[in-house]
Each structure stands twice: as C-alpha cells, then as structure tokens.
Amino acid sequence: MGASLYEFDAHDQADLLRRGEVTATDLAQAHLDRIERWDADLRSFVTLTPEAALDAARAIDRAGRAGEGFAGVPTAVKDLTATAGVRTTMGSRLLADQVPEVDAHVVRLVRDAALVSLGKTNTPEFGLSSYTDNDLVGPTSTPWRVGLNAGGSSGGAAAAVAAGLVPWALGSDGGGSIRIPSSCCGVVGLKPTRGRVSPGPLGSDWSGLASDGPIARTVRDVAALLDLIAVPQPGDARFVGRPAEPFAAVVDREPGRLRVAAWGDPYLPDVATDPRVKAVWEDGCRALAALGHDVEVIDNPFPPELEPQFNVVWSSGMAAAPIPPEAEPLLRPNTRYWRRRGATHSAAELAGAMQFLETTTRSAMSSLADYDVFCTPTLAMLPQPHAWFTATDDPAEAHRRELLFTPFTAVDNMAGIPAASVPFGRADGLPVGLMLAAHAGHETTLLSLMGQLEASVAWPTAPVDPVEDIRSKTHDDGLRHLSQPKSIILRHPGDRE
C-alpha cells in the first residue's frame, strides 16, 4: 500500500476493506495507535472508546460486513451529541459523568451504517464558542501548529480529521461551528440546509440555527457522510426531503457555468478581514473565474442589524437550559455571560428577533436570486493562540474578539442555507478556508463546485503530523496550472447588461 492506513480517506479505506487488504479491526487499531501518538498534544478527544471500537470492528469482520458501503470505517462523534452508553459531557463539568441511554438520530444512522466510532471529540461548553476549550480536557490545537486553537465548536472533530486520527467525523453548526474549525484545521466541512439533517424524534432545533453535518479531508467523503445522515423523519418541522440522487454522485460532475457573488468584507462595522486572508479569498475568486464561472465582487448583502438580534436568539436558548442556581459557579465565564444576557429578554423580544432574522435574511437572499453560489473568506483572521480568546476577564470583550475572528459564518445559519469551508489556501504556513454557500436546498450545486475546485487546485488531502511547524505549498502554488483571467468582474446585481 505504501501510505499508512490513516492517510487514506474514507472511500479508499472502504475500498481496502472490500478488497480484503485490511480488516475493520486493522483500521480501528491503526487509528487508535495514531490517537495514542498525537492526541496528548492536540486534545481532540474528550472520551475515547477503544474497547467498544475494537469490539464493533471485530463484529463487523466476523459478519463479513467490512467494506459493505462504509462498514468498518472509523469515525468519531462530537461531544455535544448524545451517544448511548458513552459519556457525553457537552464540554461541561456539570455533565462530566453523563451517560445517555439513547442515541441522537445522527448517531443511530452512523451505527446503522456500521461505521466504527472511536469516541467523543472535544467541544467548548455547550458549543457556545468559536474556539474549543473547556474545563474537562482543555483547548484543542490545530495540527498545523500546536498552541493555536482549532476553532469551534467542532474543534475536536476537525483537528482529529486533519491529523488522521479519523478519516471523517460528525460535527454540528449553529453559527459556524463546522466551518470555523474546518478552516483552522485545513479540512472540508459542510453545514447543510436548514432541515436537511433531521434532529430525529428526540432532538430539537427550535431556533432553526443549528444542524449536524460532516467534516472530512475530501469533498467526496463529506458528500458520502451527508448521504448517511440526511434521512428525514416523520414529524420533521422543517422537512427538506432527500435529493433525487445521492450527494456523492454529483461530486465528480461538472457544475456548469455558475454565477458567483463574492464579498470579502464582513457585514459588521469595525471588523476587518486580515489582508493575508483576503489575499487567499481573492485567489479563490480568480480560481473560480479560471474554471469558467462568472464571478462578481459585490458589497456584503447582509445588514449589521442582524447581529444583535442573532444574540437575542442565541442567548435566550442558553438561558432556557435547566441549570440550577447552585450549579452556576461551575460554568465557564462565557457560558454565564450568555445566560445572563438571555435572561434579560422577554418572550416578545425573542419572537421579534426570530422574525427579524427570517425577514431580513429572506430579503438578502432575494437580492442574490440571480446568483448560484456565494464566495467569502471563512474567517477574518488566521488561527489564533488559545489565550487570545480567554486572556480577558471581560466577557463582552471576549465576545468582541470572537466577532473579529468569525464575522462571516453566522449569517448562513440565520438564512438556513448550505455553506462549506474548503481548505483553499495557506498564509504564514497556516490553513485558510474559502467559504462557498448556495441557496437553500442546493447542496448538489455546492458539492459539484467543491469537487471541481478540489480537482483543479492543489490543496492537501493527507493528514499532517501535529507539533511540526508545517510550511507546505502556499496558496499561489495551488493555482499554478489554472489559466488566469484578466480580472474579476466588478459590478453589482443591478448593473447587469
């Protein structure tokens, strides 16, 4: 085989299983060995389940199921997501010993597909932060430079995938929590359309902001994992249904000539995009134009008034969590901050905020009706040191820093549209994500374009070894074989000829 087992993506691992070159037990053990070697540095897992993983792998081998679909391929589950019989802490000391009796819907689907979970990946307390740190195992690092945060809240999942601890993993995204760490860790992460992935009979997404979704090193793996979890259920409040064909079937299909709206500046005043990040985004726009798409740079179509209303919804959900007053001191300062803010809002204010988000994002999306895809930076900054997020004792300042870091992602949650981060470029030896989004229900367009871009631009697909100061090819190197257009088209939607 040449390469180590952990370097293969999920598709190639499944192919090795089908050909009988490895067993499910071999794969599980290889990844567990990799975790033992590197996770003390990364802290990507909260709970490891090696015995259960090896037992599951051996059962798959005995039943002759290895390589049946993706049966026997390792994965991991974010620690926000209930997993029967496995400690699920939600990143909080309050739930350090919680062991659910039932699986979340997406976990049941993964079990039904006979993927082998190696454990629960790290997340900030209750998934509230755009960085991953908690009082249980501490901060998660990006494998590209230990000491810089992996992003959040699916930071453990993204770091584990990037370092080859698992080929793919389940994440969740309520304001960018799949895409933020995917950018920091140099992997592919997709937040689906609102309602595409069902919360199942026991789950709830009352605000419409959050969704489970896939993180992987390749677009085809992201599409295949989405196929496994995008299974509608009776009673779904936001029914999207299944596509006419599998998402994985469109990754290698030419998307046709698409109209791409691109903006590189945040919608928030006093927040700017780091010039190094903006340079990667500009290269991404040129790459899309070189592939034959019509790229127009426009002003950010989302108004800044969305931010305070989003915070009403976000904080109200945290304030509603059934946490007794005597337990409040055990919470992290960030969690207490959001609970205090949420407690000040009335039911009428919450209803008004939800209506504002719906009507305002609908107006913005209507203004984008002539476009197929939207292209922005994923983040406004490069990955930051752990302490940059936590050094201040002022929670309002800590929140401001998070806005400086990630001012692009949350609007896609507000609008309910599919959005993905792809590891397009590098700056100062660190990964920089390019974010692509589409209209609601159009994951196929998005995945087809992502597949085309992946095939045309050299972004790394093999895991990196943590600790090392990786300085691989710059984003300019990846464009070496694309013909360069003279310029990106600069005009507004109303200026069409």
Side-chain angles (χ1 to χ4, degrees), residues 8-20 22 27 66-73:
F8 293 94
D9 75 353
H11 276 77
D12 284 339
Q13 290 186 22
D15 190 48
L16 291 173
L17 289 167
R18 277 190 291 272
R19 298 202 307 262
V22 297
L27 281 179
E68 175 188 298
F70 291 95
V73 175

Side-chain angles (χ1 to χ4, degrees), residues 107-256:
V107 175
R108 181 180 64 80
L109 292 170
V110 164
R111 287 194 199 269
D112 289 348
L115 272 60
V116 177
S117 176
L118 305 185
K120 306 302 294 291
T121 56
N122 204 11
T123 186
E125 189 168 55
F126 303 121
L128 289 176
S129 304
S130 59
Y131 59 96
T132 294
D133 191 4
N134 58 44
D135 294 331
L136 294 170
V137 298
T140 300
S141 290
T142 171
W144 292 89
R145 197 170 301 165
V146 170
L148 302 186
N149 201 269
S153 61
S154 304
V161 169
L165 310 189
V166 289
W168 53 8
L170 289 175
S172 58
D173 190 319
S177 289
I178 286 173
R179 292 158 288 154
I180 295 164
S182 293
S183 180
C184 289
C185 295
V187 294
V188 185
L190 186 146
K191 179 201 81 69
T193 294
R194 178 180 294 149
R196 174 70 73 189
V197 177
S198 171
L202 300 178
S204 172
D205 177 27
W206 65 274
S207 68
L209 294 175
S211 175
D212 294 289
I215 298 173
R217 294 193 298 271
T218 60
V219 176
R220 65 178 184 171
D221 278 2
V222 159
L225 188 52
L226 182 59
D227 279 322
L228 291 180
I229 64 174
V231 180
Q233 293 290 292
D236 282 350
R238 299 180 175 91
F239 182 78
V240 176
R242 306 199 75 166
E245 58 184 336
F247 292 116
V250 306
V251 171
D252 294 327
R253 184 176 304 167
E254 288 293 317

Side-chain angles (χ1 to χ4, degrees), residues 50 61 92 124 157 168 187 236 268 309 335 346-347 365 389 394 398 401 403 415 448 450 481 485 497:
D61 289 332
S92 177
W168 53 8
V187 294
D236 282 350
L268 299 172
Q309 300 305 313
T335 306
S346 67
M365 296 310 300
F389 296 100
D394 179 0
R401 292 187 183 197
L403 292 179
S448 181
M450 291 162 62
H481 64 281
E497 297 176 355

